[in-house]
Amino acid sequence: MFKHILVPTDGSALSESTVSRAVTFASEAGARVTFFYAQPDFPMPIYGEGALIDPTTPEQFAKSAAAEAQSILDKAKAVADSAGVVAATDTVVNEIPYEAVIDAADRHGCDLIFMASHGRRGIAGLLLGSETQKVLTHSKIPVLVYR
């Protein structure tokens, strides 16, 4: 049924668990996987009374973020490789993760997005928002939510 699955990951424990489950799902479905990480952009400095000075340059930040992304994606790909699942990785810089996830799924021709949810409900879910909820709301392809 599904042939190409996008698996967004952020390196958290929940996300690592989701990577393992997505690989099992892909293996059973005979699908390939693309692991995706949305890198943060350099935060705009805020100047004024009481502002903290961050000595990190935009270039240093970008290099560090890219290294973090590669480390997270390499771990995910190793899980797929050990299970014999064909996998690729992708990362982009984007401050709006849910848009980056949907764009990655479109760019790679994925027919399913398999992602984690923290399962926040009520006020916590409303106040904190949810990238998963935003993907569910805006995606034109199926989204499988793993909790």
Side-chain angles (χ1 to χ4, degrees):
M1 180 174 191
F2 298 111
K3 297 296 173 205
H4 191 179
I5 303 168
L6 184 79
V7 182
T9 182
D10 63 9
S12 66
L14 175 62
S15 196
E16 287 179 3
S17 172
T18 302
V19 163
S20 295
R21 185 59 189 115
V23 166
T24 300
F25 181 85
S27 178
E28 292 169 359
R32 63 190 168 115
V33 174
T34 296
F35 296 106
F36 177 75
Y37 180 84
Q39 295 180 49
D41 200 0
F42 185 73
M44 293 299 294
I46 298 173
Y47 299 103
E49 189 175 325
L52 297 174
I53 304 296
D54 184 357
T56 305
T57 66
E59 294 79 18
Q60 290 170 320
F61 184 87
K63 186 176 178 181
S64 176
E68 171 97 5
Q70 194 60 54
S71 172
I72 289 167
L73 293 170
D74 286 348
K75 278 188 204 176
K77 187 166 183 331
V79 173
D81 290 346
S82 70
V85 172
V86 176
T89 62
D90 183 27
T91 183
V92 297
V93 176
N94 191 322
E95 276 301 306
I96 307 171
Y98 85 89
E99 286 181 357
V101 168
I102 292 169
D103 290 345
D106 290 342
R107 190 170 56 255
H108 293 285
C110 297
D111 51 10
L112 177 70
I113 300 171
F114 191 119
M115 64 189 303
S117 172
H118 289 278
R120 293 185 185 104
R121 302 179 203 274
I123 297 297
L126 181 65
L127 294 177
L128 296 174
S130 166
E131 295 306 315
T132 302
Q133 183 63 41
K134 292 172 190 168
V135 170
L136 280 166
T137 303
H138 294 91
S139 177
K140 291 180 176 42
I141 66 170
V143 179
L144 191 155
V145 180
Y146 178 72
R147 250 192 334 166

